[in-house]
Coordinates of all heavy atoms in Angstrom, one line a residue:
A151 N 11.3 -11.8 -7.3 CA 12.1 -10.7 -6.7 C 13.5 -10.6 -7.3 O 14.0 -9.6 -7.7 CB 12.1 -10.8 -5.2
E152 N 14.1 -11.8 -7.4 CA 15.5 -11.9 -7.9 C 15.5 -11.5 -9.4 O 16.4 -10.8 -9.8 CB 16.0 -13.4 -7.7 CG 17.4 -13.5 -8.0 CD 17.9 -14.9 -7.9 OE1 17.1 -15.8 -7.5 OE2 19.1 -15.2 -8.2
V153 N 14.5 -11.9 -10.1 CA 14.5 -11.6 -11.6 C 14.4 -10.0 -11.7 O 15.1 -9.4 -12.5 CB 13.2 -12.3 -12.2 CG1 12.9 -11.6 -13.6 CG2 13.5 -13.8 -12.4
V154 N 13.5 -9.4 -10.9 CA 13.4 -8.0 -10.9 C 14.7 -7.3 -10.5 O 15.2 -6.4 -11.2 CB 12.3 -7.5 -10.0 CG1 12.3 -6.0 -9.8 CG2 10.9 -7.9 -10.5
A155 N 15.3 -7.8 -9.5 CA 16.6 -7.2 -9.0 C 17.7 -7.3 -10.1 O 18.5 -6.4 -10.3 CB 17.1 -7.8 -7.7
K156 N 17.7 -8.4 -10.7 CA 18.8 -8.6 -11.8 C 18.5 -7.7 -13.0 O 19.5 -7.1 -13.5 CB 18.8 -10.1 -12.2 CG 19.5 -11.0 -11.3 CD 19.7 -12.4 -11.9 CE 20.5 -13.2 -10.9 NZ 20.2 -14.7 -11.1
R157 N 17.3 -7.6 -13.4 CA 17.0 -6.8 -14.6 C 16.9 -5.4 -14.4 O 17.3 -4.5 -15.2 CB 15.8 -7.4 -15.3 CG 15.3 -6.7 -16.5 CD 16.2 -6.8 -17.7 NE 15.7 -5.9 -18.8 CZ 14.8 -6.2 -19.7 NH1 14.3 -7.5 -19.7 NH2 14.3 -5.4 -20.6
L158 N 16.2 -5.0 -13.2 CA 15.9 -3.6 -13.0 C 16.7 -2.9 -11.9 O 16.6 -1.8 -11.6 CB 14.4 -3.4 -12.7 CG 13.4 -4.0 -13.8 CD1 12.0 -4.0 -13.3 CD2 13.6 -3.2 -15.1
G159 N 17.4 -3.8 -11.2 CA 18.1 -3.3 -9.9 C 19.0 -2.1 -10.1 O 19.1 -1.3 -9.2
D160 N 19.6 -1.9 -11.3 CA 20.5 -0.8 -11.5 C 19.7 0.5 -11.4 O 20.3 1.6 -11.3 CB 21.3 -0.9 -12.8 CG 20.4 -1.0 -14.0 OD1 19.2 -1.4 -13.9 OD2 20.8 -0.7 -15.1
R161 N 18.4 0.5 -11.6 CA 17.6 1.7 -11.7 C 16.7 1.8 -10.4 O 16.1 2.8 -10.3 CB 16.6 1.6 -12.8 CG 17.4 1.7 -14.2 CD 16.4 1.1 -15.2 NE 16.9 1.3 -16.6 CZ 17.7 0.5 -17.3 NH1 18.2 -0.5 -16.7 NH2 18.0 0.8 -18.5
L162 N 16.7 0.8 -9.5 CA 15.9 0.8 -8.4 C 16.6 1.3 -7.1 O 17.6 0.6 -6.8 CB 15.3 -0.6 -8.1 CG 14.2 -1.1 -9.1 CD1 14.0 -2.5 -8.8 CD2 13.0 -0.2 -8.9
S163 N 16.1 2.3 -6.4 CA 16.9 2.7 -5.2 C 16.1 2.2 -4.0 O 16.7 2.1 -2.9 CB 17.0 4.2 -5.2 OG 15.8 4.8 -5.6
V165 N 13.0 -0.6 -2.8 CA 12.0 -1.7 -3.1 C 11.2 -2.2 -1.9 O 11.9 -2.6 -0.9 CB 12.7 -2.9 -3.7 CG1 11.7 -4.0 -4.1 CG2 13.5 -2.5 -5.0
A208 N 12.4 -12.9 -0.2 CA 12.6 -11.9 -1.3 C 13.7 -10.9 -0.9 O 14.6 -10.6 -1.8 CB 11.3 -11.2 -1.6
V209 N 13.7 -10.5 0.3 CA 14.7 -9.5 0.7 C 16.1 -10.2 0.6 O 17.0 -9.7 0.1 CB 14.5 -9.0 2.2 CG1 15.7 -8.2 2.7 CG2 13.2 -8.1 2.2
Q210 N 16.1 -11.5 1.1 CA 17.4 -12.2 1.0 C 17.9 -12.3 -0.4 O 19.0 -12.1 -0.8 CB 17.3 -13.6 1.6 CG 17.2 -13.6 3.1 CD 17.1 -15.0 3.6 OE1 16.5 -15.9 3.0 NE2 17.6 -15.3 4.8
A211 N 16.9 -12.7 -1.3 CA 17.3 -12.9 -2.7 C 17.7 -11.6 -3.4 O 18.7 -11.6 -4.2 CB 16.1 -13.5 -3.5
M212 N 17.1 -10.5 -3.1 CA 17.4 -9.2 -3.8 C 18.7 -8.7 -3.2 O 19.5 -8.1 -3.9 CB 16.3 -8.2 -3.6 CG 15.0 -8.6 -4.4 SD 13.8 -7.3 -4.3 CE 13.3 -7.5 -2.7
R213 N 18.9 -8.8 -1.9 CA 20.2 -8.3 -1.3 C 21.4 -9.0 -1.9 O 22.4 -8.4 -2.0 CB 20.1 -8.5 0.2 CG 19.4 -7.4 0.9 CD 20.2 -7.0 2.3 NE 19.5 -5.8 2.8 CZ 18.6 -5.9 3.8 NH1 18.3 -7.0 4.4 NH2 18.0 -4.7 4.1
A214 N 21.2 -10.3 -2.2 CA 22.3 -11.1 -2.7 C 22.7 -10.6 -4.1 O 23.9 -10.6 -4.5 CB 21.9 -12.6 -2.8
V215 N 21.7 -10.0 -4.8 CA 22.0 -9.5 -6.2 C 22.4 -8.0 -6.1 O 23.3 -7.6 -6.7 CB 20.7 -9.6 -7.1 CG1 21.0 -9.0 -8.4 CG2 20.3 -11.0 -7.2
R216 N 21.7 -7.2 -5.3 CA 21.9 -5.8 -5.2 C 21.9 -5.3 -3.8 O 20.9 -4.8 -3.2 CB 20.7 -5.0 -5.9 CG 20.8 -5.2 -7.4 CD 21.4 -4.0 -8.0 NE 21.8 -4.2 -9.4 CZ 22.7 -3.5 -10.0 NH1 23.3 -2.5 -9.5 NH2 23.0 -3.8 -11.3
P217 N 23.1 -5.4 -3.1 CA 23.1 -5.1 -1.7 C 22.8 -3.7 -1.3 O 22.5 -3.4 -0.2 CB 24.5 -5.6 -1.3 CG 25.3 -5.8 -2.5 CD 24.3 -5.9 -3.6
D218 N 23.1 -2.7 -2.3 CA 22.9 -1.4 -1.9 C 21.6 -0.8 -2.0 O 21.3 0.4 -1.6 CB 23.9 -0.5 -2.8 CG 25.4 -0.9 -2.5 OD1 25.6 -1.4 -1.4 OD2 26.2 -0.8 -3.5
T219 N 20.6 -1.5 -2.6 CA 19.3 -1.0 -2.7 C 18.6 -1.0 -1.3 O 19.0 -1.8 -0.5 CB 18.5 -1.9 -3.6 OG1 19.1 -1.9 -4.9 CG2 17.1 -1.4 -3.8
A220 N 17.7 0.0 -1.0 CA 17.0 0.0 0.2 C 15.8 -0.9 0.1 O 15.0 -0.8 -0.8 CB 16.5 1.4 0.5
Y221 N 15.7 -1.9 1.1 CA 14.6 -2.8 1.1 C 13.7 -2.6 2.3 O 14.1 -2.4 3.4 CB 15.1 -4.3 1.1 CG 15.9 -4.5 -0.1 CD1 17.3 -4.7 -0.1 CD2 15.3 -4.7 -1.4 CE1 18.1 -4.9 -1.2 CE2 16.1 -4.9 -2.5 CZ 17.4 -5.1 -2.5 OH 18.1 -5.3 -3.6
D291 N 15.7 -1.6 5.6 CA 16.2 -0.2 5.4 C 15.1 0.8 5.7 O 15.4 1.9 5.9 CB 16.8 -0.1 4.1 CG 17.9 -1.1 3.8 OD1 18.8 -1.1 4.6 OD2 17.8 -1.9 2.9

Side-chain angles (χ1 to χ4, degrees):
E152 188 182 357
V153 167
V154 168
K156 282 189 174 152
R157 171 72 185 271
L158 304 172
D160 58 339
R161 296 159 168 88
L162 286 170
S163 41
V165 179
V209 170
Q210 284 182 331
M212 290 185 291
R213 275 220 174 102
V215 178
R216 288 264 163 198
D218 296 335
T219 303
Y221 297 107
D291 302 301

